Amino acid sequence: MVFCGRVNPITGSLDWVEEDENYDYHQEIARSSYADMLHDKDRNEKYYQGILAAVRRVKDRGEEAIVLDIGTGTGLLSMMALTAGADYCFAIEVFKPMAEAAAEIVKVNGFGDKIKVINKHSTEVTFGPDGDMTRRANILITELFDTELIGEGALPSYEHAQHNLMQERWEAVPHRATIYAQLVESRRLWSWNKLLPMQLDCRTIQPPPEMQSCPGAPSVCDVQLSQLSPSDFRPLSDILVVFRLDFSKQISSSAVSHIVSFTPLADGTAQVVLSWWDIDMDPEATITCSMKPGWLYPALQPVPWRDHWMQCVYFLPEEKKVTEGGETCLIAHQDDYCVWYNLTNPSAADTSYTDSPACHCGAHITWNRARFGELNDLCRMDKYKKALKEILTPSTVCLCVSDGSTLPMLAHSVGAAQVFTLESSSVAHQLMDKLLETNNLKETIHILQKSPDKVIAADLGDRKVTALIGEPFFTTSLLPWHNLRFWYSRTSLSENLASDCLVLPISASLYVLAVEFKDLWRIRSPCGNCEGFDISIMDKMIKKSLDFHESQEAEPHPLWEYPCRALSDPTKVITFDFQNKVPTEDMKAEGSLNLVRSGVCHGVVLWMSYQLTENISTSTGLLEVSDETGNCQWYPHGKQAVYFFSSLWNLGLDPTDSQTSVTYQLTFKPQLGDVRMSFIPQC
């Protein structure tokens, strides 16, 4: 066993946790997309068809079929190649625990003498009599792709392998890839990238100029575009072919730009590029695996579900007006790991390389995209505005405890006498300082870059705080209850609070709901037998990790992207009273979730709801349940916690049986700032 130091996201303290020395490896595998990929039947079938065709082409030339499989994972594609008639396979896997698993899997399936698993990065693999490979390959199989296609270093890996490990002529599976893009106008998507002007009662809060001109974060936003409503965006272009990569020819990882000329479909403001890719498994493009969003499929055609490959949202460096019928150029810049876009007039189109966008305003470093969306949610902010009007007066001394919050400006706008706000980092402090300066509020709203336990009376002008407010939101939070850091802050600040200090929110409540997922369950589903191969060792590795926290752990997921049905009624299990200090004793709850709908119960969702005042509340989880179908609508600006059942994947629960339920036991441990949990289906 080893001790690992971890910063507690609730208390802010450094905790030393005793863990198995291989725990992180097991976690890496358990939380990866291996199960999702192995259950992607469309992907598996297309790969096998492509491999079979490639082996035939090599055999038809009278050659031995020698395969190089880069990023073999479980060894599935290597075993497919041997089954398709290949003579030998070199399977490369850089992640040691996965390489060890692959070696055992190919041995169990009877391929141990024809598949050599090499535990190296592919660019470190050597060829020669004493090298890792004693023969050059003539079939190159890879699954090095991410949502952006090239984000996992596919291009350098291809370039090295083709130069150093392949014969002069080779077949590639996949054979080629095609990148598609569509230019759109979308307030919802744009609100993930920019802080938009916020209308208060008597003024408009404007973002700083450097934030308005900032190109944003360099990383792509990957999302399940199928879950966007058609009303969330307006197409300004047709679907455009941006560039293609032919993997049967020498690949270059050098930076390059691609210009695509098009005619806009309508007048509008270009803000966002939606993008996805297809891979053709054969030269004739008769075997194609597509990542296109669900709304591009014919009405009756099933849509393959994938979480390991989604779709891309790219933000333009700045908004640009386009005119229907006027020629416009979309420029895709590509280096060895990522893609980014610019929009320009044909006369100004330039294929010369430009650096990838990088944040220079600090906001995209401090806030993630969900946080931008949250700050720009007008309905949400209106609730806070109404709540603040109920508790603030011209004599109020107000202190805000939340990271990067606009609540101090709301508090000032409704008339608080003095407003202070705590910021946890220097970057957040600078960002808030710029925001206040832009709106001439530096003299009326005071920033304290201190932890709550370090605040003294002099910091507050020797006055007691009469209103403590928070959203609550903290950048360190991953799970819903991590924002209980507000409660710990309130406790640390007790000496600075007036005896009649009002606290907003008044309280928070933890809710639970038993659900049936349409697809998300696949990421934690046992692999067992996959396409005729025994992959059960993966189940053992995943179970070892999940069992470690079987009665404690849930994981965060943005459920607006993952449809599910409510099988029980939402149930409040624990309420946290912010008007009082954090207790010293554990808070426990136990009971049963009676199932009110039929279905397969894959797990339980947990979220927090905040009572801002007696009459105003806001949820960070379930927003609505359809009475007829049980379909759930989730809060779109954050992640909910999901507890997956690890051993009862296919448990059918019949609501006509009065015994059908899910029992729960939850314990909030104040010393750890953690929620321990156990959910057990009963039928």
Side-chain angles (χ1 to χ4, degrees):
M1 302 295 287
V2 294
F3 286 91
C4 299
R6 294 181 178 174
V7 176
N8 189 306
I10 301 182
T11 65
S13 63
L14 180 66
D15 296 338
W16 291 95
V17 183
E18 185 180 21
E19 290 178 349
D20 182 277
E21 61 182 1
N22 293 318
Y23 174 69
D24 284 345
Y25 281 162
H26 296 137
Q27 283 292 91
E28 183 78 16
I29 293 173
R31 302 305 185 212
S32 70
S33 296
Y34 283 115
D36 176 34
M37 289 187 287
L38 293 170
H39 286 289
D40 188 344
K41 192 167 183 62
D42 178 71
R43 162 196 176 270
N44 296 341
E45 288 178 348
K46 299 292 176 58
Y47 260 99
Y48 180 69
Q49 293 168 10
I51 290 169
L52 185 63
V55 171
R56 285 174 180 167
R57 290 195 298 274
V58 170
K59 294 287 189 179
D60 287 346
R61 297 198 294 264
E63 302 174 12
E64 276 193 311
I66 309 300
V67 173
L68 174 60
D69 176 10
I70 303 179
T72 195
T74 61
L76 177 63
L77 300 185
S78 293
M79 293 187 293
M80 284 183 176
L82 269 293
T83 303
D87 296 285
Y88 196 82
C89 182
F90 297 98
I92 302 173
E93 174 57 50
V94 67
F95 184 41
K96 185 177 180 181
M98 200 67 245
E100 292 172 350
E104 187 171 339
I105 288 170
V106 300
K107 183 178 179 181
V108 166
N109 285 276
F111 298 107
D113 59 339
K114 288 193 173 184
I115 298 176
K116 180 182 180 182
V117 178
I118 303 170
N119 178 211
K120 285 187 176 182
H121 193 284
S122 66
T123 57
E124 297 173 348
V125 171
T126 57
F127 166 76
D130 300 320
D132 302 303
M133 294 175 59
T134 54
R135 289 183 284 178
R136 292 185 184 272
N138 54 11
I139 299 178
L140 178 57
I141 301 173
T142 59
E143 209 283 55
L144 298 170
F145 313 120
D146 65 351
T147 294
E148 199 173 16
L149 185 73
I150 64 174
E152 291 185 1
L155 296 185
S157 296
Y158 268 111
E159 187 175 36
H160 174 270
Q162 291 167 345
H163 267 305
N164 300 285
L165 307 176
M166 303 303 296
Q167 299 176 20
E168 289 187 7
R169 181 180 182 182
W170 68 84
E171 303 291 336
V173 183
H175 182 80
R176 76 173 64 83
T178 304
I179 304 286
Y180 299 93
Q182 185 172 36
L183 187 69
V184 303
E185 177 180 5
S186 172
R187 187 194 186 281
R188 178 178 179 184
L189 296 179
W190 193 243
S191 73
W192 296 353
N193 184 53
K194 299 287 185 181
L195 183 62
L196 305 178
M198 181 174 63
Q199 183 62 49
L200 302 182
D201 288 343
C202 56
R203 64 184 301 169
T204 299
I205 298 297
Q206 296 288 350
E210 52 265 56
M211 191 184 298
Q212 291 176 307
S213 63
C214 182
S219 59
V220 66
C221 179
D222 54 347
V223 68
Q224 295 281 4
L225 279 183
S226 299
Q227 300 310 312
L228 284 183
S229 166
S231 62
D232 285 329
F233 63 94
R234 190 164 70 99
L236 298 179
S237 78
D238 291 319
I239 296 170
L240 310 171
V241 174
V242 181
F243 63 91
R244 289 189 168 94
L245 295 170
D246 188 338
F247 301 124
S248 68
K249 298 178 181 178
Q250 182 62 55
I251 291 291
S252 171
S253 60
S254 299
V256 64
S257 297
H258 311 271
I259 296 181
V260 183
S261 298
F262 69 97
T263 302
L265 300 175
D267 294 349
T269 303
Q271 298 167 317
V272 175
V273 175
L274 308 181
S275 181
W276 57 89
W277 47 267
D278 291 348
I279 42 177
D280 296 323
M281 299 298 186
D282 62 329
E284 297 77 24
T286 60
I287 310 166
T288 300
C289 189
S290 178
M291 304 310 120
K292 64 186 178 185
W295 27 265
L296 289 178
Y297 281 80
L300 299 179
Q301 184 177 341
V303 179
W305 185 83
R306 303 179 176 96
D307 201 45
H308 55 106
W309 294 331
M310 292 186 273
Q311 294 81 39
C312 301
V313 172
Y314 295 95
F315 302 103
L316 293 177
E318 59 182 348
E319 297 176 299
K320 286 200 174 182
K321 297 289 185 181
V322 296
T323 304
E324 181 180 0
E327 190 176 1
T328 306
C329 287
L330 183 67
I331 304 179
H333 304 283
Q334 168 218 317
D335 62 17
D336 51 351
Y337 279 90
C338 61
V339 178
W340 60 100
Y341 288 89
N342 283 323
L343 196 67
T344 187
N345 296 322
S347 59
D350 185 359
T351 59
S352 59
Y353 177 81
T354 62
D355 291 334
S356 62
C359 174
H360 58 67
C361 73
H364 303 90
I365 298 171
T366 307
W367 303 328
N368 61 23
R369 276 142 187 163
R371 180 57 174 165
F372 271 102
E374 192 169 55
L375 291 172
N376 288 319
D377 188 330
L378 300 180
C379 293
R380 174 180 177 274
M381 295 312 296
D382 190 53
K383 282 190 175 184
Y384 282 91
K385 188 189 304 183
K386 290 178 180 177
L388 289 172
K389 285 182 177 180
E390 287 188 18
I391 69 167
L392 300 184
T393 69
S395 61
T396 299
V397 177
C398 183
L399 174 61
C400 178
V401 181
S402 278
D403 288 347
S405 179
T406 53
L407 286 193
M409 287 168 278
L410 284 176
H412 171 72
S413 74
V414 300
Q418 280 190 290
V419 181
F420 299 88
T421 182
L422 292 184
E423 291 295 342
S424 59
S425 71
S426 59
V427 175
H429 186 163
Q430 292 170 13
L431 179 61
M432 185 58 62
D433 189 68
K434 291 177 185 176
L435 189 57
L436 297 180
E437 182 178 18
T438 300
N439 293 279
N440 298 314
L441 292 172
K442 286 190 68 172
E443 300 301 319
T444 51
I445 298 175
H446 307 283
I447 307 171
L448 305 177
Q449 189 187 327
K450 285 191 170 186
S451 60
D453 60 322
K454 296 295 192 296
V455 175
I456 60 176
D459 296 323
L460 303 168
D462 292 317
R463 299 181 66 181
K464 293 287 187 179
V465 173
T466 56
L468 180 69
I469 65 174
E471 299 186 42
F473 170 82
F474 298 94
T475 56
T476 55
S477 299
L478 296 174
L479 293 164
W481 47 88
H482 288 171
N483 284 322
L484 288 176
R485 185 169 180 175
F486 176 79
W487 199 16
Y488 287 80
S489 299
R490 177 255 180 271
T491 302
S492 298
L493 289 163
S494 294
E495 295 299 319
N496 295 291
L497 306 183
S499 58
D500 59 349
C501 179
L502 299 173
V503 181
L504 183 155
I506 297 172
S507 64
S509 295
L510 180 64
Y511 281 79
V512 296
L513 177 75
V515 299
E516 175 186 50
F517 286 108
K518 180 182 177 183
D519 293 297
L520 186 64
W521 61 272
R522 300 176 194 274
I523 68 173
R524 299 291 170 256
S525 177
C527 306
N529 186 290
C530 181
E531 309 302 331
F533 303 105
D534 182 1
I535 315 287
S536 57
I537 186 177
M538 289 296 298
D539 299 334
K540 296 175 184 177
M541 297 176 73
I542 291 173
K543 191 174 188 302
K544 183 172 182 179
S545 170
L546 296 182
D547 282 353
F548 188 87
H549 285 292
E550 178 69 20
S551 63
Q552 306 173 35
E553 189 169 278
E555 53 190 81
H557 291 281
L559 292 187
W560 75 267
E561 296 185 57
Y562 304 108
C564 65
R565 295 174 57 245
L567 299 186
S568 71
D569 291 327
T571 301
K572 183 193 297 185
V573 289
I574 301 178
T575 295
F576 309 94
D577 183 4
F578 294 162
Q579 297 177 99
N580 293 299
K581 297 180 182 180
V582 176
T584 56
E585 301 296 322
D586 291 351
M587 300 174 66
K588 297 183 179 182
E590 60 181 41
S592 295
L593 303 176
N594 294 321
L595 302 194
V596 297
R597 294 181 182 86
S598 61
V600 178
C601 190
H602 296 120
V604 176
V605 179
L606 305 93
W607 70 93
M608 299 289 276
S609 179
Y610 294 97
Q611 198 68 39
L612 303 183
T613 65
E614 293 293 340
N615 303 312
I616 302 173
S617 64
T618 182
S619 172
T620 62
L622 188 67
L623 300 181
E624 186 178 350
V625 176
S626 167
D627 291 334
E628 294 183 2
T629 64
N631 291 337
C632 299
Q633 180 183 346
W634 296 97
Y635 182 70
H637 308 309
K639 296 180 179 181
Q640 293 72 41
V642 181
Y643 181 104
F644 289 100
F645 295 135
S646 62
S647 56
L648 297 168
W649 303 104
N650 297 311
L651 177 66
L653 299 174
D654 182 358
T656 62
D657 182 349
S658 61
Q659 300 301 310
T660 301
S661 63
V662 176
T663 62
Y664 62 82
Q665 291 183 329
L666 296 106
T667 303
F668 174 68
K669 304 187 78 64
Q671 298 299 319
L672 301 175
D674 194 15
V675 176
R676 302 292 173 86
M677 64 194 70
S678 175
F679 296 95
I680 303 174
Q682 305 288 332
C683 60

